[in-house]
Amino acid sequence: MFTPTPFFRSGRSRLELIRTSTLATTFLIGSLTLSSAQTQSASATVPESVSKVTTVEGITEYRLRNGLRVLLFPDPSKPTVTVNITYLVGSRHEGLGESGMAHLLEHMVFKGSPKHKNIMQELTEHGTWPNGTTWLDRTNYFETFSATDENLKWALDLESDRMVNSFIDKKDLETEFTVVRNEFEIGENSPQWTLEKRVMSAAYLWHNYGRSTIGSKEDIERVPIENLKAFYQRYYQPDNAVLLVAGKFDEAKTLDLVNQFFGSIPRPTRQLPKTYTVEPTQDGERHTTLRRVGDTQGVAAAYHVPSGSHPDYAVMDVLNDVLTNEPSGRLYKALIENKKAASQYGWTPALHDPGFAYFYAELRKDQSIDSARTVMLATLDEVSKKAPTAEEVDRAKTKLLKDIDLLFKNTDRLGLQLSEWIATGDWRLVFLYRDALRKVQPADVQRVAAAYFKPSNRTVGVFIPDQKPDRADVPESPDVMSLVKDYKGEAAVASGEAFDVSPANIDARTKRGAEANGLKYALLPKSTRGNSVNMQIRLRYGDETSLMNQSIPARFTASMLERGTKTRSFQQIKDELDKLKARAYVYGYGQSATVRIEAEKDKLPAVLKIVTDYLKNPTFPQAELDKLKQEALAQIESQKQEPQAIAWKTVSRLTEPYPKGHPFYTMTFDEEIDAINKLTLADVKEFYKNFYGTNNATVAVVGAFDEAAVRKQIKDELGSWKSAKPFTRIPQKLFADLKPQTQSIQTNDKTSAVFAGGMQFPMRDDDPEFPALAMANYILGEGMLNSRLATRIRVKDGLSYGVGSYVYADDNDQVANFGSYAIYNPENGEKFDNAFREEVQRMAKDGVTAEEVKAAKSAMLQEKQLERSQDGAIANKWAQYLTKKEGRSFTYDADFDKKLEALTPEQINAVLKKYLDYSKLTMVKAGDFEKAAKKAAEKQPASSVGSSAKN
């Protein structure tokens, strides 16, 4: 229902960063001990109608009489629970004329059931992080929420009721199919995503893996409601589903609740049809060409490979990393280091049936696509002849095993990731995959490359006749149950404490201090799942004068830090962090550079040693700067004709018109390209020399760590480092006298349009009126899909896949931003404009209701509690709070929550009348409006054409 969008590293305006923060949330989870999980599992009373199947590494499977499989994964370390139900139906199960039906049904199941008529409202009221997703082999729905008995009962009741009682009404279909079509159009805007669909459709002649999950626009628009209901009734049944509950809960009570809510659903009498189509062995290289508007080029290659349950799958994953790893991968070296392409990647998903390996390279306009294709295919062919070295294979295994290790420490993330393995055949396959990874040797990788990476088994951009085809026979999927039978696995990951996430406890548990050079720190030691720890180091530098015309050097200096030191190469830094099972990344914007670290307790000192090494001893290799510049230029060029990038950049330039060269100035695409092209290594080194130091830095550490050791390391490594130039915070400016503008920007050949609007007003985040304004915005456009804007524009009118609003107030200056956004079909432009204007004006005039305020209070307070349950989020807040001159702690959060709780409709309505004014909004729309106008003119009756001219 909510399609994740890849994030690319780029320089973004402050307004764009604000918008991104409203849409993206980072999950950083606590942990589970073997003793607590397995003891609880062993002592849990199993109802008579429920049978226990197996327990593996803290996860226990049960089965109800109606066929429902239940996985319980208790984790007491954090006050959250995730309920995730996976239905074994995806686009693989769709028949002729049914393309996109599984995904469309996923949308429809949010439309209500007899006991839960307004699901969006309930999801908001319970403060959940929910979603529904559909892919090739499965559909899943999940909710993450605060761990209370009420929330858990509600979630289980919701999922059991909509399993077999969802309305699936024609009136809902009539509006929702346009929403899904809009989602389809969003994907069509991206040449990169569209090329992948074209390659896969060419690679698969018969099997449904060649059809995208979102389906055909024509099928989406024409599906009869009776067919959709029949599809729902066939696949949404207990014997075709796996329910998983992960988090803080009592296993015995939860099992009783599951049996109570799901056990009464009868086992269906129908027999599920099995998919039986087998893709024949490919008998020659295939090619497809895509021609679309854009500023970058792309070349792709796909191969048929074994299923996710096949022993060769783990080897294939290692092979993929050997090829695409940055910076050691063979494709990376051949394409990026030799300047044949700007970026590259590859992936091979674990699927139920024999699947695919897919590789892609993006090129700038001045790079030769013929040369890049030749190099890519030669590199892919070579791996079967030139065996990977032990170093290459060990590096790939270390990285992949690190990712699994981090996944197992994150209850929520693992609970959701299991959906993919469930769909592949069984949840225990994830453990077999891990075990298989450990055994992979270079000879295995070469064998797999020779078996499947054959020209006759490849789909690329050009068809090449082959008189002597060498074909690859892909084996069938093995018997999964024989693979997982009696599998016991390893010990479960150690658990953490049940941490109280109240602001008062966070303050009480945090120890703050400062070093002689001015660095400030906040340390919050606590027991966590897997002894994980999150750390943030924020360096602040410069002033308005010294940072003029320095935004590009600032960004690239931060990105270059990890690219090599006096004692470590970029590769060595990456390898050491992978071996330490740690993540560390650095970025710079405005007046700061930030390092975020995720590690384990006993490894944090070594990780911090690496980070402080590249902070204090960077060598800035010229070759690495050249690669970063190419990557940045390609990314910017790919945005030049993208409606979303254009709309947001234009709004930022109109509402925040800082003078050119100012650190907060928003460059045009061409200005950014010009500045990056002119950037030299000397510029980067000079910026580092002038501004880097920790005398104005803040450091926050949250999780499991040795407090004394970390204090000493902070003092020794960062406590005396000073920057050459002074720091003075640059104030945000309120552009109060700006006249609102409305712009419509033509973007050719883009099927989806983007709306972005914004305005400023004087307010800080501690202003007495800000809590009321925040709640008003939540009701208008921030709260899930039952906000005013979403209810009208998406749910009722079916005009937009995504619509909402945001509000932000600075914590230092009297500068606040309100804005809104939407994605829609240009042909619906007038309808969208009218609906948006009517809803904003109605809210400003009539205000909010007591019922809306009550629901918003519950949702916002629960969401804030969820946020405080994330160690990374706490570290991020402390890093910012420490920058405040007057000092700030989580007392601010407690006070804000109290103010939210005390709000009345009258207070909110007064703030709405004061600040929400549609006439003051600057609005930008980007899309192919000319094509939409042409279509509209073609639909007009002949007598109406030109009638206005006659008058």
Side-chain angles (χ1 to χ4, degrees), residues 223-253:
V223 57
I225 189 64
E226 296 78 11
N227 293 25
L228 192 61
K229 280 185 176 180
F231 194 89
Y232 166 70
Q233 291 164 355
R234 183 186 314 138
Y235 291 106
Y236 279 55
Q237 297 287 346
D239 64 343
N240 195 46
V242 181
L243 173 71
L244 181 141
V245 183
K248 185 176 182 180
F249 61 87
D250 182 279
E251 188 167 2
K253 291 181 180 178

Short mmCIF file of all heavy atoms in Angstrom, two decimals, residues 223-253:
data_model
loop_
_atom_site.label_atom_id
_atom_site.label_comp_id
_atom_site.label_asym_id
_atom_site.label_seq_id
_atom_site.Cartn_x
_atom_site.Cartn_y
_atom_site.Cartn_z
N VAL A 223 -11.06 -4.44 -13.65
CA VAL A 223 -11.35 -5.64 -12.88
C VAL A 223 -12.77 -5.61 -12.31
O VAL A 223 -13.17 -4.66 -11.64
CB VAL A 223 -10.32 -5.81 -11.73
CG1 VAL A 223 -10.30 -4.61 -10.82
CG2 VAL A 223 -10.62 -7.08 -10.93
N PRO A 224 -13.60 -6.63 -12.58
CA PRO A 224 -14.95 -6.69 -12.02
C PRO A 224 -14.89 -6.96 -10.52
O PRO A 224 -14.05 -7.73 -10.05
CB PRO A 224 -15.60 -7.87 -12.77
CG PRO A 224 -14.71 -8.12 -13.95
CD PRO A 224 -13.34 -7.73 -13.53
N ILE A 225 -15.77 -6.35 -9.76
CA ILE A 225 -15.78 -6.52 -8.31
C ILE A 225 -16.01 -7.98 -7.94
O ILE A 225 -15.47 -8.47 -6.94
CB ILE A 225 -16.84 -5.60 -7.65
CG1 ILE A 225 -16.69 -5.61 -6.12
CG2 ILE A 225 -18.24 -5.99 -8.08
CD1 ILE A 225 -15.39 -5.06 -5.61
N GLU A 226 -16.79 -8.69 -8.74
CA GLU A 226 -17.05 -10.11 -8.45
C GLU A 226 -15.75 -10.92 -8.52
O GLU A 226 -15.53 -11.83 -7.71
CB GLU A 226 -18.08 -10.68 -9.43
CG GLU A 226 -19.46 -10.04 -9.35
CD GLU A 226 -19.52 -8.69 -10.05
OE1 GLU A 226 -18.55 -8.34 -10.77
OE2 GLU A 226 -20.54 -7.99 -9.87
N ASN A 227 -14.90 -10.60 -9.52
CA ASN A 227 -13.63 -11.32 -9.65
C ASN A 227 -12.71 -11.02 -8.47
O ASN A 227 -12.02 -11.90 -7.96
CB ASN A 227 -12.94 -10.92 -10.96
CG ASN A 227 -13.70 -11.40 -12.18
OD1 ASN A 227 -14.91 -11.59 -12.12
ND2 ASN A 227 -13.01 -11.57 -13.29
N LEU A 228 -12.72 -9.75 -8.05
CA LEU A 228 -11.87 -9.37 -6.92
C LEU A 228 -12.33 -10.06 -5.64
O LEU A 228 -11.51 -10.53 -4.84
CB LEU A 228 -11.89 -7.85 -6.75
CG LEU A 228 -10.85 -7.25 -5.81
CD1 LEU A 228 -9.44 -7.54 -6.30
CD2 LEU A 228 -11.04 -5.74 -5.67
N LYS A 229 -13.64 -10.12 -5.44
CA LYS A 229 -14.18 -10.81 -4.25
C LYS A 229 -13.82 -12.30 -4.28
O LYS A 229 -13.46 -12.89 -3.25
CB LYS A 229 -15.70 -10.65 -4.19
CG LYS A 229 -16.17 -9.32 -3.63
CD LYS A 229 -17.69 -9.31 -3.50
CE LYS A 229 -18.16 -8.02 -2.86
NZ LYS A 229 -19.63 -7.97 -2.72
N ALA A 230 -13.93 -12.90 -5.45
CA ALA A 230 -13.61 -14.33 -5.56
C ALA A 230 -12.14 -14.58 -5.26
O ALA A 230 -11.78 -15.57 -4.60
CB ALA A 230 -13.96 -14.83 -6.96
N PHE A 231 -11.28 -13.69 -5.73
CA PHE A 231 -9.85 -13.79 -5.47
C PHE A 231 -9.59 -13.68 -3.97
O PHE A 231 -8.81 -14.45 -3.39
CB PHE A 231 -9.12 -12.67 -6.22
CG PHE A 231 -7.63 -12.84 -6.32
CD1 PHE A 231 -7.05 -13.53 -7.38
CD2 PHE A 231 -6.79 -12.27 -5.37
CE1 PHE A 231 -5.68 -13.67 -7.48
CE2 PHE A 231 -5.41 -12.40 -5.47
CZ PHE A 231 -4.85 -13.10 -6.52
N TYR A 232 -10.26 -12.74 -3.33
CA TYR A 232 -10.13 -12.54 -1.88
C TYR A 232 -10.60 -13.79 -1.12
O TYR A 232 -9.90 -14.28 -0.22
CB TYR A 232 -10.95 -11.32 -1.49
CG TYR A 232 -11.20 -11.16 0.00
CD1 TYR A 232 -10.16 -10.82 0.87
CD2 TYR A 232 -12.48 -11.32 0.53
CE1 TYR A 232 -10.40 -10.65 2.22
CE2 TYR A 232 -12.72 -11.15 1.88
CZ TYR A 232 -11.68 -10.82 2.72
OH TYR A 232 -11.91 -10.66 4.07
N GLN A 233 -11.75 -14.29 -1.46
CA GLN A 233 -12.31 -15.43 -0.74
C GLN A 233 -11.50 -16.71 -0.97
O GLN A 233 -11.49 -17.60 -0.11
CB GLN A 233 -13.77 -15.64 -1.17
CG GLN A 233 -14.69 -14.52 -0.70
CD GLN A 233 -16.03 -14.50 -1.42
OE1 GLN A 233 -16.24 -15.27 -2.36
NE2 GLN A 233 -16.90 -13.60 -1.01
N ARG A 234 -10.79 -16.76 -2.08
CA ARG A 234 -9.97 -17.94 -2.36
C ARG A 234 -8.69 -17.96 -1.53
O ARG A 234 -8.31 -18.98 -0.98
CB ARG A 234 -9.62 -17.98 -3.85
CG ARG A 234 -8.83 -19.20 -4.29
CD ARG A 234 -8.41 -19.08 -5.75
NE ARG A 234 -9.52 -18.65 -6.58
CZ ARG A 234 -9.41 -17.73 -7.56
NH1 ARG A 234 -8.24 -17.18 -7.81
NH2 ARG A 234 -10.46 -17.39 -8.27
N TYR A 235 -8.02 -16.79 -1.44
CA TYR A 235 -6.69 -16.77 -0.85
C TYR A 235 -6.62 -16.23 0.58
O TYR A 235 -5.69 -16.54 1.31
CB TYR A 235 -5.75 -15.95 -1.73
CG TYR A 235 -5.44 -16.62 -3.05
CD1 TYR A 235 -5.99 -16.16 -4.23
CD2 TYR A 235 -4.60 -17.73 -3.10
CE1 TYR A 235 -5.72 -16.78 -5.44
CE2 TYR A 235 -4.32 -18.35 -4.31
CZ TYR A 235 -4.87 -17.87 -5.47
OH TYR A 235 -4.60 -18.49 -6.65
N TYR A 236 -7.58 -15.41 0.99
CA TYR A 236 -7.55 -14.85 2.34
C TYR A 236 -8.30 -15.78 3.28
O TYR A 236 -9.46 -15.56 3.64
CB TYR A 236 -8.15 -13.43 2.35
CG TYR A 236 -7.17 -12.37 1.90
CD1 TYR A 236 -6.53 -12.47 0.66
CD2 TYR A 236 -6.88 -11.27 2.69
CE1 TYR A 236 -5.63 -11.51 0.24
CE2 TYR A 236 -5.97 -10.31 2.27
CZ TYR A 236 -5.35 -10.43 1.05
OH TYR A 236 -4.45 -9.48 0.63
N GLN A 237 -7.60 -16.84 3.65
CA GLN A 237 -8.15 -17.89 4.51
C GLN A 237 -7.07 -18.33 5.48
O GLN A 237 -5.87 -18.20 5.21
CB GLN A 237 -8.64 -19.07 3.67
CG GLN A 237 -9.78 -18.76 2.72
CD GLN A 237 -11.12 -18.56 3.44
OE1 GLN A 237 -11.25 -18.89 4.62
NE2 GLN A 237 -12.09 -18.00 2.73
N PRO A 238 -7.46 -18.89 6.63
CA PRO A 238 -6.45 -19.26 7.63
C PRO A 238 -5.43 -20.29 7.15
O PRO A 238 -4.28 -20.27 7.58
CB PRO A 238 -7.29 -19.80 8.80
CG PRO A 238 -8.62 -20.13 8.22
CD PRO A 238 -8.83 -19.15 7.11
N ASP A 239 -5.84 -21.21 6.27
CA ASP A 239 -4.89 -22.23 5.82
C ASP A 239 -3.91 -21.71 4.78
O ASP A 239 -3.06 -22.46 4.30
CB ASP A 239 -5.65 -23.45 5.27
CG ASP A 239 -6.46 -23.12 4.03
OD1 ASP A 239 -6.71 -21.91 3.77
OD2 ASP A 239 -6.85 -24.05 3.31
N ASN A 240 -4.02 -20.43 4.41
CA ASN A 240 -3.10 -19.81 3.45
C ASN A 240 -2.39 -18.61 4.07
O ASN A 240 -1.95 -17.71 3.36
CB ASN A 240 -3.87 -19.38 2.19
CG ASN A 240 -2.94 -19.08 1.03
OD1 ASN A 240 -2.02 -19.84 0.74
ND2 ASN A 240 -3.16 -17.95 0.37
N ALA A 241 -2.30 -18.60 5.40
CA ALA A 241 -1.74 -17.44 6.09
C ALA A 241 -0.80 -17.87 7.20
O ALA A 241 -0.92 -18.97 7.76
CB ALA A 241 -2.85 -16.57 6.67
N VAL A 242 0.15 -16.99 7.51
CA VAL A 242 1.06 -17.17 8.64
C VAL A 242 1.02 -15.90 9.47
O VAL A 242 1.32 -14.82 8.97
CB VAL A 242 2.50 -17.46 8.18
CG1 VAL A 242 3.41 -17.67 9.40
CG2 VAL A 242 2.55 -18.68 7.27
N LEU A 243 0.61 -16.02 10.72
CA LEU A 243 0.52 -14.88 11.64
C LEU A 243 1.76 -14.86 12.53
O LEU A 243 2.13 -15.88 13.11
CB LEU A 243 -0.73 -15.00 12.52
CG LEU A 243 -0.86 -13.95 13.64
CD1 LEU A 243 -1.17 -12.58 13.06
CD2 LEU A 243 -1.94 -14.37 14.63
N LEU A 244 2.41 -13.69 12.61
CA LEU A 244 3.58 -13.55 13.47
C LEU A 244 3.33 -12.42 14.46
O LEU A 244 2.88 -11.33 14.09
CB LEU A 244 4.83 -13.26 12.64
CG LEU A 244 6.14 -13.11 13.45
CD1 LEU A 244 7.31 -13.75 12.72
CD2 LEU A 244 6.46 -11.63 13.70
N VAL A 245 3.63 -12.67 15.75
CA VAL A 245 3.58 -11.64 16.78
C VAL A 245 4.98 -11.55 17.37
O VAL A 245 5.53 -12.54 17.85
CB VAL A 245 2.56 -11.98 17.88
CG1 VAL A 245 2.50 -10.85 18.91
CG2 VAL A 245 1.18 -12.22 17.27
N ALA A 246 5.58 -10.35 17.30
CA ALA A 246 6.94 -10.15 17.79
C ALA A 246 6.99 -8.94 18.69
O ALA A 246 6.39 -7.91 18.39
CB ALA A 246 7.91 -9.98 16.62
N GLY A 247 7.69 -9.06 19.81
CA GLY A 247 7.85 -7.92 20.70
C GLY A 247 7.59 -8.28 22.14
O GLY A 247 7.78 -9.42 22.58
N LYS A 248 7.12 -7.30 22.91
CA LYS A 248 6.91 -7.48 24.34
C LYS A 248 5.49 -7.95 24.61
O LYS A 248 4.54 -7.17 24.52
CB LYS A 248 7.20 -6.16 25.06
CG LYS A 248 7.13 -6.26 26.58
CD LYS A 248 7.52 -4.93 27.23
CE LYS A 248 7.51 -5.04 28.75
NZ LYS A 248 7.88 -3.76 29.40
N PHE A 249 5.33 -9.23 24.92
CA PHE A 249 4.01 -9.78 25.19
C PHE A 249 4.17 -11.08 26.00
O PHE A 249 5.23 -11.69 26.03
CB PHE A 249 3.24 -10.06 23.89
CG PHE A 249 3.91 -11.05 22.98
CD1 PHE A 249 3.69 -12.42 23.12
CD2 PHE A 249 4.76 -10.62 21.97
CE1 PHE A 249 4.31 -13.33 22.28
CE2 PHE A 249 5.39 -11.52 21.14
CZ PHE A 249 5.16 -12.88 21.28
N ASP A 250 3.11 -11.48 26.64
CA ASP A 250 3.07 -12.76 27.34
C ASP A 250 2.66 -13.84 26.34
O ASP A 250 1.58 -13.77 25.73
CB ASP A 250 2.07 -12.69 28.50
CG ASP A 250 2.03 -13.99 29.29
OD1 ASP A 250 1.34 -14.94 28.82
OD2 ASP A 250 2.66 -14.06 30.34
N GLU A 251 3.51 -14.86 26.18
CA GLU A 251 3.28 -15.84 25.11
C GLU A 251 2.01 -16.65 25.34
O GLU A 251 1.24 -16.87 24.40
CB GLU A 251 4.49 -16.76 24.98
CG GLU A 251 4.40 -17.67 23.76
CD GLU A 251 5.71 -18.36 23.44
OE1 GLU A 251 6.69 -18.16 24.18
OE2 GLU A 251 5.77 -19.09 22.45
N ALA A 252 1.80 -17.08 26.55
CA ALA A 252 0.62 -17.91 26.82
C ALA A 252 -0.66 -17.12 26.60
O ALA A 252 -1.61 -17.60 25.96
CB ALA A 252 0.68 -18.45 28.26
N LYS A 253 -0.70 -15.89 27.13
CA LYS A 253 -1.89 -15.06 26.94
C LYS A 253 -2.11 -14.74 25.47
O LYS A 253 -3.25 -14.74 24.98
CB LYS A 253 -1.76 -13.76 27.74
CG LYS A 253 -1.82 -13.94 29.25
CD LYS A 253 -1.69 -12.58 29.95
CE LYS A 253 -1.75 -12.74 31.47
NZ LYS A 253 -1.59 -11.42 32.15
#
